[in-house]
Every structure is written in structure tokens, then in C-alpha cells.
Amino acid sequence: MGCGCLPSPPVLDCLFQTIRQTQPQGNAIQTLTAPLLLRSFRCTTLVVPRILSLVPPDLTPRGQGAAAVPRGDRRHVPAFPLGLPPVGRAAPSTAAGSGAMRRAAARGSQLWELLALLCWAAAAPAPPSAAPLLCNVSLDSPAEERWLPVLRHFDPAFLRAAVARVIDERVPKWVHEVIRPIAAELEFLMPQPFAGEMLGLCRALGISLGDGVLLNFAYESTAFCTSIVAQDDKGNIYHGRNLDYDFVDILSKITIDVQFIKNRQIAYQGTTFLGYVGLWTGQSPHKFTISGDERAGGRWWENAIAAFLNRNYPVSWLVRDTLSRAEDFQSAVLRLAGIPIIAEVYYIVGGVSPKEGMVITRNRRGPADLWPLDPLGGAWFRVETNYDHWTTPPPFDDRSNTVYTTVMSAALPDKYQTWIRTDT
């Protein structure tokens, strides 16, 4: 887990990389990092050295910015161009520009003061990372057969052992006693395509459908995360997330990027764990992006099982269903805010047009709060972890068990990238 109010370093690094790749000649003032670093001591050793490496492009003539980085170069850490005046360079003079110039100069001064304050920190290397396996799942195939080509890339014995360990250590014993006796009926309680896909996976792995449902519940109950949605000065929307779980040693080995194919086109894509039919992270190309962060609601298992038996959606299934059905940012927000789910959650949504960014705080029956981007009012980014944004996060949350980091922009769907932590 990490600072309860701030994105942990990997998600910032990856956001910088994606934005530099899409806007290689922007100026390099890291205005995103100033408010974040001021409140996050964890960024000292991981983010500051990267920010320092980003300053030189601003000290070179316009047009000599870094070239676009090839997609496969996972180590380059780019700048975050927001169109503000470069450090040490005056903004263009306009009749109404003096206030903007003073604000920009203040931001630049604060950034340099911040860097000077933090430069004493040791330059710790970024955690080792690797790209996950990229898989295609055909929505044109029968639901029970869709995941079989993906399973061929993994050792069935390892997967069965992973399922057994996660269920044994995460699922309360009384839940086993509730779910397993009604396993035969579970197929009829779950909506399609999830029921068919889960049944096909369980048959292929030689486990019961009851264990398949318990596995999916275990992942639903423990998703500690950090998400950020931001808009630059050109109105481009960027979305990044860290996903933090227990069992990093297992999950890092079964994290996959999935392209869901329909009529030979990518209908939507996301990042998940093999055996888990929902999505906590995904994008619908040229429409919107979604990430989900757990929200603690008390008595999670009791309420979730009751809601599931009442045919409410698991929270990650609603993410995937929305990616499949919604036509744009607004319709995605309406679905994510209004459809009953089995547990409380935060949905973070990004679109393709200016101002299309939202944090939805969910109760099981509907929205508790909607927190949109407000770039004209200075709120050009929103950060959500696992706490209501109007409260103070607890000091004990040090968020360090990141499984993967994803960055995405629905307007630039080919820039979707995931990094798996490999230092476990």
C-alpha cells in the first residue's frame, strides 16, 4: 500500500513516459509532481532523480526536445508537458497575462525549491519491471472456450496451486460453506458471459465452479490501488494506475494484458489475472478508460455474498460490462454510477475530450459522490486510492505491494501499457 492521498512512484513515472511519447516537444516543467511530491515523502528516492533528469530539455532551444521513445523502451522516463512557461523563461506578454506569468513563475520557483530540498536523497533505481503477456480473447467464440488459447501459455499445476493458496488464505471458512454446496446453481445466478467463461476456465483447470467463484471474490475483496486521471493544457486526458494486492509472488506471474476481439477488431482491452473474468483496469478505444479501487465498507464478505445471491454485479464485472456496452464517457459514468454492485468501490473514468475525468465513489446501490475534473478551476487532475477524497487517509498506509502499473489514454489506445513488478 502507499500514501493514502497520492499516487505511488511507479504510476507517476509511467504517466510521464506516455505523455512524452505522445508530445515529445512539450516543455518539461513537472507541474504534476509539485503538489504530489510536497505531500509524499515516498517520492523522494524514486521520483526526484527522474524529475532532475527531465530538466535539461527546458534549458535547450525550443524544438530540441527528446525524440519519441519506442514502445518497447520501458526504462525511459519522460517529461510531463503541460504548456506552462519553462523554468527561467518568461511567458509571452499579453494584456491579461501578468497574473498567469506570476503564477507560472511561482510554480517554477516552488518546483526548484522542492528539488533543492529533496536532492539529498539517494538516487534509488526504479523497481525492476516487465511487460505482461499480451493475449487475444475472441468475443465471437463461445464463452466457455474463449480463454482456452490463453491457458496454453501457463502451467495448469501452478494455476491450481495458486487458486488453492489464494482461496485458503483470503476467503473466510464460512464463505466456503455457503458457496460450495450451491456450486451447481451458481451458473444460473451469474450473468453471461461471466458464467460461461468461468465455467470453461474451471473445467480446463480441473477445479470446481465454486472455487472459481471464490477466487474471483477473493480478488474483489483486496484491491488496494492508486489511480490518477489528468488533463494537460491541450485538453488531452491521461489515466494511470497502480494495482496493489497481496500474493504479489503469484499474481506477478499471471498478470496479462487482454485484447477482447469482436468482428476482428479490438472491442476493448484491459489488464487482469488469469482466471479472473472481471477487469479492474481497461479502456474502450477512442471512448473512455476505467480503473477501479476498493472502498472499505465494513462486513465486506457478508454484504457481498448477499448482494451476489441477489444477482448484483461484482464490481470488476461492471467495469468489463461497461467497456463492452457504453458508447462514450457520459454513458460509461452513468452505468458505473447507477447499476447495483456487490461492494463499495471507487471508479475512476477518463474520456477523450477536455474535462472528461471523474472519480465515482460508489455505495452498493448507487453513487455516494461524483468528483469531476475542473481544469478551469485549477483541478486538472484527480487522485484516488482507497479512501473517500473528503477524508484524511490514515498514516499507516505505506502501499508497497504493487503488482502492476498501467497507463492509458482512450484517445491514443495504442499507448496502453502495463508494467509488472518483477523484484519479488
Side-chain angles (χ1 to χ4, degrees):
M1 302 189 305
C3 297
C5 56
L6 300 166
S8 45
V11 73
L12 291 174
D13 286 354
C14 298
L15 270 173
F16 296 160
Q17 179 161 332
T18 294
I19 295 168
R20 169 59 66 84
Q21 288 176 359
T22 60
Q23 300 184 42
Q25 295 189 13
N27 89 49
I29 292 182
Q30 304 305 316
T31 43
L32 174 62
T33 65
L36 301 179
L37 289 176
L38 281 169
R39 299 167 61 194
S40 178
F41 73 91
R42 289 192 65 240
C43 293
T44 302
T45 58
L46 288 176
V47 176
V48 171
R50 290 159 174 75
I51 300 172
L52 290 173
S53 72
L54 303 177
V55 174
D58 261 342
L59 305 181
T60 61
R62 177 73 63 179
Q64 294 184 14
V69 180
R71 179 181 174 88
D73 186 350
R74 308 277 180 163
R75 297 291 180 173
H76 182 80
V77 182
F80 195 158
L82 290 169
L84 296 174
V87 174
R89 188 181 302 168
S93 176
T94 63
S98 59
M101 289 172 60
R102 285 194 297 271
R103 289 192 296 272
R107 290 184 185 182
S109 175
Q110 290 171 358
L111 177 59
W112 281 107
E113 290 173 5
L114 177 66
L115 295 178
L117 177 66
L118 297 178
C119 276
W120 61 267
S129 62
L133 179 69
L134 177 61
C135 308
N136 288 342
V137 169
S138 174
L139 300 176
D140 299 316
S141 299
E144 294 182 17
E145 301 174 7
R146 290 175 184 171
W147 292 93
L148 299 184
V150 181
L151 283 174
R152 298 190 188 108
H153 294 278
F154 295 85
D155 177 11
F158 172 79
L159 294 174
R160 285 191 291 270
V163 169
R165 179 183 163 193
V166 172
I167 291 176
D168 183 64
E169 296 185 22
R170 183 56 59 187
V171 181
K173 298 302 181 186
W174 71 263
V175 178
H176 294 230
E177 297 172 0
V178 169
I179 293 296
R180 281 178 171 151
I182 61 171
E185 286 74 37
L186 290 177
E187 181 181 357
F188 305 102
L189 290 173
M190 296 184 292
Q192 293 293 350
F194 305 105
E197 291 183 11
M198 196 177 298
L199 186 61
L201 282 164
C202 290
R203 285 175 178 170
L205 291 175
I207 64 175
S208 71
L209 181 59
D211 280 351
V213 172
L214 291 176
L215 177 69
N216 278 257
F217 277 174
Y219 290 149
E220 295 273 320
S221 70
T222 54
F224 296 100
C225 313
T226 302
S227 294
I228 178 170
V229 61
Q231 175 180 318
D232 69 11
D233 71 324
K234 297 179 176 62
N236 300 308
I237 305 295
Y238 300 98
H239 191 160
R241 70 109 85 257
N242 282 348
L243 189 139
D244 305 296
Y245 267 113
D246 294 331
F247 312 107
V248 177
D249 58 326
I250 293 176
L251 300 183
S252 61
K253 296 178 176 65
I254 59 173
T255 298
I256 53 176
D257 277 346
V258 183
Q259 296 179 148
F260 294 88
I261 308 298
K262 190 173 183 62
N263 298 325
R264 299 185 179 183
Q265 300 291 325
I266 299 175
Y268 56 96
Q269 63 194 102
T271 304
T272 190
F273 309 126
L274 184 57
Y276 186 47
V277 296
L279 291 174
W280 282 103
T281 309
Q283 77 173 10
S284 181
H286 305 291
K287 296 178 182 178
F288 55 89
T289 55
I290 309 173
S291 61
D293 295 359
E294 183 196 9
R295 183 186 187 213
R299 297 176 62 86
W300 191 96
W301 283 99
E302 293 89 337
N303 292 325
I305 295 299
F308 178 73
L309 296 177
N310 197 37
R311 302 195 178 190
N312 287 14
Y313 268 95
V315 295
S316 67
W317 294 11
L318 181 56
V319 170
R320 187 174 157 192
D321 185 75
T322 300
L323 290 167
S324 174
R325 297 173 183 266
E327 290 300 320
D328 53 29
F329 171 83
Q330 296 293 343
S331 58
V333 168
L334 288 173
R335 287 186 63 81
L336 293 168
I339 293 178
I341 50 180
I342 70 169
E344 299 185 3
V345 72
Y346 304 99
Y347 289 128
I348 300 85
V349 193
V352 295
S353 300
K355 302 182 183 179
E356 288 191 343
M358 180 83 70
V359 175
I360 305 168
T361 302
R362 275 297 309 262
N363 295 322
R364 291 177 176 83
R365 295 186 178 181
D369 181 75
L370 301 177
W371 193 32
L373 287 178
D374 181 20
L376 296 180
W380 51 272
F381 69 94
R382 296 297 189 197
V383 177
E384 181 57 64
T385 56
N386 301 107
Y387 310 103
D388 295 342
H389 67 84
W390 58 90
T391 64
T392 301
F396 56 78
D397 186 350
D398 66 349
R399 205 167 301 242
S400 60
N401 54 340
T402 298
V403 178
Y404 71 79
T405 298
T406 297
V407 293
M408 50 192 170
S409 176
L412 301 162
D414 61 318
K415 297 297 180 181
Y416 187 102
Q417 280 190 294
T418 299
W419 290 259
I420 304 173
R421 285 283 295 272
T422 60
D423 58 342
T424 57

